[in-house]
Every structure is written in C-alpha cells, then in structure tokens.
Amino acid sequence: GAVVSQHPSRVICKSGTSVKIECRSLDFQATTMFWYRQFPKQSLMLMATSNEGSKATYEQGVEKDKFLINHASLTLSTLTVTSAHPEDSSFYICSARQGINQPQHFGDGTRLSIL
Amino acid sequence: ELKVEQNPLFLSMQEGKNYTIYCNYSTTSDRLYWYRQDPGKSLESLFVLLSNGAVKQEGRLMASLDTKARLSTLHITAAVHDLSATYFCAVRRAAQKLVFGQGTRLTINP
C-alpha cells in the first residue's frame, strides 16, 4: 500500500529555534501534499496544501512566514516552523495524494514540543 | 462551506454491546472517509464511501452512507476493548480539501 514517511517523529527544542519536518511518499508520486496540525483532544486542522513545484496555499489564519512549506519534488515536502514558540507545540501530520481522485495517505505525525 | 458534524463526541460503552456513531455533512459531497486514531498516533484509514447506499464492513465495524440525508454511520457490533480509539469522519467535495468532523472518542470498558 501507499506509504508516507514523516520525520522526525518527535522534536523537543528551545523557544526561538526553527524546526524542519520532512514528509516523503515512499512508493508513489505525490502531486499534492497536505499539512495538518492537531491540538490535544481536537480534530485535524488543515494548515496548507502544496502542489509539486508551486507555492503552497495556506488556510485562513495560518501565517505563511512562520510555517514555510516547500514541495520541491514529487516525493518530498517540508514544513519549517520558524522561530518556534511554546504555542506552536502541537502534533503535525502530513498527508500525500497521488492524483485528484486518489485517497490521501497520512504520515505518522511529528510531535513538536517547544520549551 | 462544507461542515461535518459527528455525534456523539464521547462514547463509553461496555464490551459486547452495539453502538453507532453518526456523521452529518452540510453540502453535497463525492466521498466520505472514516479514520481511526489511537492516542499519540496518526490516522488509520478504515473506509471510503463513494455512493448512496454504500455499505462497507471490516470485522466489527460497518460503515454506511446516505447521500440524500447527508449522513454516514459507523456501527460497532459486539464491541471489544481493542476498538477503543478516536474515530473521525471526513468529507470531500469534488477537488476540494478534506473536511474532518470533530472526532468521537470511544472507550470500551470490560
């Protein structure tokens, strides 16, 4: 089956640092990748949608300068949380889709803790 | 704007009992998904439902879709402890984004 690998699975870092999370589609080409954030006991909130080679489309209220998304190839997208603060602590999940009518496959998530 | 609502949001039940989780959505959509999430984990895909009257079953879980009522159900038969998790439905309309329900936290007690 389609596999999406997300790395790292857990990050703990100091306030003010930048953190990069990678999302790879291992056995298919992902034309579209999605980044979600999930706070404890809440649902998934879509942050942005990225198509390979294009700029990401951010959801309302998501700061594009703070959450930098790069989707430079059909198998890799990265999310960089710049100058992270404690309120950015959350569970970040990526998802990838091969085509417009294909299902989304989810990564294992990254738990980000900012001290 | 597409909205998805699940109920109940919390469900505590005994092993061996049957129960149903409901998922309502606000506008016509072309596919509905059910996912399971264990604590600290990502989503596991359970079912995708594409057409009116679609029914899918896997073990003790059965999902159905009524597009006219804009309603999907996830039925749990003879619940076992291993089914304790949070269950999400999500709906997608055409080429638009996936919209998730709030999730139903299911606890199954011995």
Side-chain angles (χ1 to χ4, degrees), chain A residues 24-97:
Chain A
R24 294 180 185 273
S25 57
L26 296 187
D27 52 0
F28 67 99
Q29 293 187 324
T31 54
T32 307
M33 287 187 169
F34 306 86
W35 287 95
Y36 295 86
R37 181 166 55 183
Q38 185 181 33
F39 291 109
K41 298 179 172 54
Q42 294 188 22
S43 188
L44 278 72
M45 185 194 80
L46 180 65
M47 300 175 67
T49 302
S50 71
N51 292 298
E52 185 264 339
S54 303
K55 287 185 179 180
T57 301
Y58 289 80
E59 295 297 304
Q60 193 170 10
V62 178
E63 300 175 59
K64 57 183 68 175
D65 293 333
K66 181 166 187 65
F67 299 100
L68 301 179
I69 291 172
N70 183 280
H71 189 171
S73 79
L74 284 171
T75 58
L76 173 64
S77 176
T78 59
L79 167 67
T80 302
V81 184
T82 62
S83 187
H85 291 285
E87 58 266 29
D88 298 322
S89 298
S90 188
F91 192 47
Y92 292 85
I93 304 174
C94 76
S95 176
R97 184 179 73 191

Side-chain angles (χ1 to χ4, degrees), chain B residues 27-75:
Chain B
T27 62
T28 304
S29 301
D30 64 352
R31 55 195 68 198
L32 186 141
Y33 298 87
W34 283 98
Y35 297 95
R36 168 181 172 148
Q37 186 178 37
D38 290 302
K41 304 291 186 182
S42 187
L43 299 184
E44 174 190 350
S45 179
L46 296 175
F47 302 108
V48 55
L49 302 169
L50 302 178
S51 59
N52 188 43
V55 177
K56 290 196 175 178
Q57 183 164 4
E58 181 73 36
R60 300 175 188 273
L61 300 178
M62 184 174 71
S64 66
L65 178 63
D66 181 344
T67 58
K68 293 180 181 177
R70 296 179 190 151
L71 170 69
S72 179
T73 60
L74 181 66
H75 187 72

Side-chain angles (χ1 to χ4, degrees), chain A residues 34 36 46 49 59 97 104, chain B residues 1-2 91-93 95-99:
Chain A
F34 306 86
Y36 295 86
L46 180 65
T49 302
E59 295 297 304
R97 184 179 73 191
Q104 287 181 221
Chain B
E1 181 189 353
L2 175 58
V91 180
R92 201 186 82 168
R93 181 180 182 185
Q96 298 178 10
K97 64 184 181 184
L98 205 54
V99 179

